Amino acid sequence: MKFLPLVWRNLARNPLRTALTAGAIGLAIALVCLLLTMPNGLDVLLERAASNTRIVVHNEAGLVYPLPYAYLQKIRSLPGVVGAASWSWYGGVFEIEKGVTFPNFAVEPEPIGTVWADWGIDAKQLEDFRRYRDGAIVGGATLKRQGWKVGDRITLKGTLYPVDLQFRIVAEIPNDRAPFLLFQREYLDQALRAAGRGGLDTLGIVYVRVDDPARVAPVMAQIDTMFKNSEAQTASETEKSYFSSFFSMLSGFVTIILIVTGLVALCIVFIAANTASMSVRERLGEIAVLKALGFKRRLIFTTLVAEAVILSGLGGALGALASLGLTQLLHARASSWNSSLGPLGSFIVTETILVQGLFLALFVGMISGVVPALGAARRSVAETLREVF
Amino acid sequence: MLPLRYALGNLLARRARTALTVSVIALVVVASTLFSGLVSSLKRTFVTSGNPRNLIVMRKGATNDGSSAVPLEAFQALRFFEGVARGPNGQPLASPELVVQPFFHTPGGGRENVLVRGVEPVALAVHDEVKITQGRMLAPSSGEVILGRGVEGRYVGAQLGQTIRFGHGTWKVVGIFEADRSSLESEVWADVRELGDDAKRSVPYSGVRMRVADGADLDALAHRIGDDSRWALEASRETDYYAKQAESANVFYVIAIGLAVLSGIGAAFGATNTLYAAVQSRRAEIGTLRALGFSRLAILVSFLVESLTIALAGFAVGSLVAALLGRLVSWWLGGIAFGSQTFTTNVVQLRVGAVDLAYGLCLSLAIGLLGGLAPASRAARMRPVEALRKA
């Protein structure tokens, strides 16, 4: 410990070099931290959005394949099911010219409060949603983006169904995770009948809430067995696995990111090793003098490695903090899904990543310092001094 | 001017240090060109999709043909609109299509949404970039499908002559097609009526693609379709449609550029360090050169040549590794899957092209220049007397 000032003096001897090396290591660590948020960020996103007591039931053939509407009642009657609501894609578009769109679904109004108790929709607003046939629940993120508020009236133009629907916004989902617009299934059904198109006898997917997380697996199995060999077979899955299927296509992208992260990490080792070997080479004479004065090899080795570790530790800490700041900034700019930034706003550098980045930096410092330090400690004094003087 | 041999000789004299700096720049070049190659490959699948003489007709407001519906009567009227091109047998080149996104199962047990396009035989004449390379076109109403090159081998049964399961039934694979590496190569084509029955669609088509006759005005025809009050339809150029889809790649551009800038600056710092050390250890030499009468400019240039040579060597090594790694990744993953706006899988072949390499070259030259400028100018500013005295 008492040699710490020596280490510090050595670092301060060439401030420009120290700053440049710390900067290079810092940038690389920042990059690694940022890249590490990507696979992690998706997982966090899913954990946040999904509930462990909700099940999604859809057609085994694909999400766009409908299920008979009668399935909903059958699912509701199963033991352990607290509530079930069907979602049917309406595909309505607001302001065609600007291409403003957000996911919108026809649902049953009654079970919303039970199935999505975690959304925390105001009880009074839920009551309004049940009461008004043209009522709509809109996600907080969508309300914010469009500048709407509860009480506004809007019209969506149908792209899949030949009917346009007018809504009054009666409730808000008070979080940014659900950018949907939900409205009464009956409203769409009646509009279709009025247009002479026959009613709605199918549904898209069913969200089921069970009373106990332990019951999720048995209920899923029960549902799929119930509809086995019927006109449309179902596939049930947990909400998390359902959401993750939307992101699974990014898996190839994530692989590339991991490869690139590896390359960048290697890059830092090289930069740090280069610096360490340069500073050792310049100090060969000095080190020989220290040894001639009787300082032990171990001590010389330790101080040199400590120098490299401190340098890259400092750089790494700076880089990790910079990446944290950057993601916080992005998060503040685009809290959930943003058209130009995509999901980037939801990727936050967590404490785990900070620690990982810091450890990587220390590890790099160690690796880069060991080889030149070993060489310097081993070198014979007489030989070095002869060369230098 | 100092001879080029002086600068190059200096690099060779300190081999280990030169090699380390070259490796750092090479790594940066690998990371950036690989990423740029990925993004541009993705972009290209969309940009090369679509024929400039084609219109895509969808329901007003639909952003992709997966969320649109076009009734039978509308198609029957549209195909006889004035300005629609005709095939050799007098048949209008208007292709009614239905897009469905069923699950396909990968051999590993995963599932992916794949875009299945229901078509009629006329589709091949309208999408003329589609070429059947193996087997033949599917015959209507016989449970046959043809696969895009990106789909082949990716899913269980996705081979010529085998049967594949999706939707409610099983389908015979009778052909494989290519489409200029566009996004169509990630599609499966089936008979439009069979697909509609299988998916229990009440509206037979999701969109219509049509070729506009030579000499006819694309926009005039598009306006006529959009203004027809019988159906709320909208026609746009096929190329515009795919260009809009390509916007989903913009996020990746943000990442790629950020990556290149950050790692580039880091590498420039590393290069600066190396050169500063080189200048420092060559004080006596520089002093001697100045005393011999070489100008400041000559010394500046010589040091810049050194750093640019390192950068170019880094680029050469890096681009070679990137190209190899790109091949390796393509071979290993069999193409990289991306989600498109229709929530279907788009299989992209990673290729590091000339543009990506040019990007890597610019990046490495910038690193060399930025990294070399400050040390080179320090060397040039050195006063010969001082430099020699200290040494």
Side-chain angles (χ1 to χ4, degrees):
Chain A
M1 265 302 140
K2 75 175 170 187
F3 290 99
L4 216 53
L6 175 70
V7 172
W8 189 251
R9 275 288 176 87
N10 275 332
L11 276 176
R13 168 197 313 233
N14 193 338
L16 183 65
R17 175 188 298 165
T18 307
L20 283 173
T21 313
I25 294 174
L27 279 169
I29 293 286
L31 207 55
V32 169
C33 285
L34 288 177
L35 290 175
L36 280 178
T37 59
M38 307 260 161
N40 231 324
L42 284 180
D43 211 51
V44 171
L45 214 64
L46 294 175
E47 285 288 354
R48 221 158 44 111
S51 149
N52 61 348
T53 52
R54 262 199 304 271
I55 300 171
V56 179
V57 181
H58 52 77
N59 194 313
E60 183 243 352
L63 296 179
V64 295
Y65 286 73
L67 290 170
Y69 192 56
Y71 280 21
L72 182 61
Q73 271 314 322
K74 291 190 183 164
I75 291 172
R76 277 188 182 151
S77 64
L78 289 174
V81 172
V82 180
S86 77
W87 283 31
S88 303
W89 178 252
Y90 165 57
V93 177
F94 179 73
E95 285 190 358
I96 288 185
E97 289 70 27
K98 288 191 214 146
V100 174
T101 186
F102 38 83
N104 41 75
F105 301 90
V107 304
E108 296 79 31
E110 295 79 18
I112 297 292
T114 350
V115 180
W116 287 279
D118 51 321
W119 279 358
I121 303 174
D122 183 71
K124 167 82 181 48
Q125 293 187 343
L126 269 179
E127 184 51 42
D128 282 348
F129 184 53
R130 267 178 234 129
R131 189 177 315 143
Y132 297 110
R133 204 169 42 93
D134 58 348
I137 298 184
V138 184
T142 304
L143 276 186
K144 232 183 284 165
R145 192 167 317 142
Q146 306 295 341
W148 295 335
K149 54 190 187 312
V150 171
D152 284 0
R153 281 171 189 277
I154 54 165
T155 303
L156 294 190
K157 293 192 183 296
T159 57
L160 226 43
Y161 296 103
V163 288
D164 299 343
L165 297 178
Q166 247 202 24
F167 300 108
R168 73 170 100 185
I169 301 174
V170 295
E172 176 190 355
I173 305 170
N175 62 56
D176 288 347
R177 304 183 309 243
F180 315 114
L181 181 145
L182 305 179
F183 63 94
Q184 290 202 14
R185 182 184 165 88
E186 212 187 319
Y187 188 40
L188 177 60
D189 185 62
Q190 287 177 357
L192 284 173
R193 282 178 205 281
R197 296 298 304 253
L200 210 57
D201 54 356
T202 58
L203 57 84
I205 59 174
V206 181
Y207 276 100
V208 183
R209 180 163 212 121
V210 294
D211 51 4
D212 180 2
R215 216 143 171 178
V216 165
V219 168
M220 290 199 314
Q222 233 173 333
I223 292 172
D224 290 346
T225 344
M226 185 158 65
F227 300 118
K228 195 145 198 145
N229 302 321
S230 60
E231 49 177 322
Q233 298 196 17
T234 59
S236 307
E237 54 186 320
T238 62
E239 194 174 30
K240 188 179 173 193
S241 108
Y242 173 70
F243 286 156
S244 70
S245 71
F246 284 96
F247 291 108
S248 66
M249 302 163 193
L250 287 175
S251 64
F253 183 67
V254 169
T255 315
I256 298 286
I257 285 193
L258 291 180
I259 292 178
V260 169
T261 312
L263 289 175
V264 171
L266 202 62
C267 193
I268 339 172
V269 178
F270 281 10
I271 291 177
N274 203 358
T275 310
S277 73
M278 279 186 315
S279 58
V280 167
R281 188 163 329 129
E282 283 170 10
R283 258 184 265 153
L284 279 180
E286 205 177 295
I287 291 167
V289 170
L290 280 178
K291 279 207 282 192
L293 287 176
F295 288 98
K296 294 267 177 296
R297 275 183 187 191
R298 252 224 352 254
L299 181 78
I300 290 176
F301 177 77
T302 319
T303 50
L304 286 177
V305 172
E307 193 183 321
V309 170
I310 289 177
L311 177 58
S312 65
L314 279 178
L318 275 178
L321 286 179
S323 70
L324 181 70
L326 187 65
T327 52
Q328 297 282 12
L329 199 74
L330 275 176
H331 185 67
R333 287 281 305 267
S335 56
S336 61
W337 193 277
N338 177 296
S339 56
S340 60
L341 293 171
L344 288 186
S346 349
F347 293 150
I348 285 298
V349 173
T350 57
E351 282 136 35
T352 330
I353 294 179
L354 279 184
V355 172
Q356 280 171 347
L358 205 56
F359 264 93
L360 179 68
L362 293 177
F363 181 68
V364 162
M366 196 95 88
I367 298 278
S368 67
V370 163
V371 180
L374 210 60
R378 282 223 185 112
R379 237 180 127 95
S380 109
V381 178
E383 202 181 303
T384 315
L385 288 178
R386 193 181 309 133
E387 265 174 38
V388 175
F389 295 105
Chain B
M1 280 292 126
L2 281 159
L4 203 58
R5 265 186 53 207
Y6 172 71
L8 301 185
N10 273 324
L11 291 178
L12 287 180
R14 293 166 185 78
R15 270 184 213 169
R17 194 184 286 174
T18 307
L20 267 173
T21 317
V22 167
S23 321
V24 167
I25 294 175
L27 282 171
V28 171
V29 169
V30 171
S32 324
T33 47
L34 216 54
F35 224 93
S36 149
L38 186 67
V39 180
S40 55
S41 304
L42 177 66
K43 205 104 183 172
R44 189 173 40 221
T45 62
F46 290 113
V47 171
T48 57
S49 303
N51 183 308
R53 297 293 298 165
N54 277 5
L55 284 179
I56 171 167
V57 184
M58 294 184 295
R59 218 186 129 76
K60 262 201 178 99
T63 47
N64 60 64
D65 47 9
S67 66
S68 161
V70 175
L72 185 66
E73 320 84 78
F75 167 66
Q76 294 295 8
L78 280 180
R79 62 199 294 239
F80 294 113
F81 264 46
E82 198 191 318
V84 178
R86 304 232 162 199
N89 51 3
Q91 170 202 33
L93 293 183
S95 162
E97 299 177 356
L98 173 67
V99 167
V100 179
Q101 302 100 316
F103 290 140
F104 275 57
H105 300 274
T106 58
R111 61 157 210 244
E112 287 176 349
N113 289 305
V114 173
L115 193 148
V116 178
R117 190 178 294 278
V119 294
E120 286 187 359
V122 70
L124 278 184
V126 177
H127 297 273
D128 52 3
E129 70 270 38
V130 171
K131 305 261 180 322
I132 296 190
T133 51
Q134 291 174 59
R136 56 174 174 84
M137 177 63 178
L138 60 101
S141 311
S142 50
E144 294 176 344
V145 293
I146 56 174
L147 310 179
R149 203 170 51 163
V151 178
E152 185 190 7
R154 192 175 175 86
Y155 306 105
V156 178
Q159 299 282 355
L160 188 65
Q162 296 191 2
T163 57
I164 190 166
R165 273 181 54 88
F166 68 84
H168 293 112
T170 53
W171 311 72
K172 275 198 295 290
V173 179
V174 298
I176 307 286
F177 64 88
E178 272 180 14
D180 286 345
R181 289 156 68 185
S182 69
S183 63
L184 292 175
E185 288 188 354
S186 304
E187 298 184 354
V188 171
W189 285 14
D191 179 54
V192 66
R193 241 161 257 104
E194 282 181 317
L195 187 66
D197 288 346
D198 184 78
K200 302 201 167 58
R201 284 299 167 94
S202 54
V203 182
Y205 308 127
S206 53
V208 178
R209 304 284 176 111
M210 50 173 70
R211 172 65 51 83
V212 178
D214 291 333
D217 184 7
L218 232 77
D219 296 319
L221 179 58
H223 278 295
R224 222 161 336 120
I225 294 170
D227 292 343
D228 200 310
S229 57
R230 286 173 291 175
W231 316 285
L233 296 179
E234 175 176 47
S236 49
R237 285 166 186 264
E238 208 179 32
T239 42
D240 289 352
Y241 169 76
Y242 283 109
K244 218 174 244 169
Q245 307 267 307
E247 283 169 13
S248 60
N250 285 349
V251 182
F252 301 119
Y253 267 123
V254 175
I255 299 179
I257 291 169
L259 187 81
V261 168
L262 280 181
S263 56
I265 295 177
F269 281 3
T272 312
N273 248 344
T274 317
L275 275 166
Y276 263 130
V279 171
Q280 203 65 30
S281 63
R282 269 156 46 196
R283 296 181 75 98
E285 208 175 296
I286 295 165
T288 314
L289 285 174
R290 293 278 289 126
L292 286 175
F294 284 102
S295 69
R296 284 166 194 263
L297 187 68
I299 288 170
L300 182 82
V301 168
S302 178
F303 271 93
L304 274 186
V305 166
E306 254 180 68
S307 78
L308 286 178
T309 311
I310 290 186
L312 279 178
F315 165 72
V317 176
S319 55
L320 212 66
V321 174
L324 281 175
L325 212 58
R327 283 282 155 83
L328 198 71
V329 167
S330 276
W331 166 79
W332 175 35
L333 296 173
I336 293 155
F338 276 98
S340 63
Q341 283 190 350
T342 40
F343 285 116
T344 52
T345 308
N346 216 313
V347 182
V348 177
Q349 293 298 325
L350 175 67
R351 258 175 233 219
V352 178
V355 178
D356 312 313
L357 290 183
Y359 167 71
L361 182 64
C362 291
L363 187 67
S364 55
L365 286 181
I367 294 172
L369 208 60
L370 288 178
L373 210 53
S377 72
R378 176 187 278 186
R381 269 180 294 137
M382 240 177 233
R383 292 178 54 201
V385 183
E386 263 173 46
L388 283 172
R389 186 188 306 140
K390 271 190 190 163

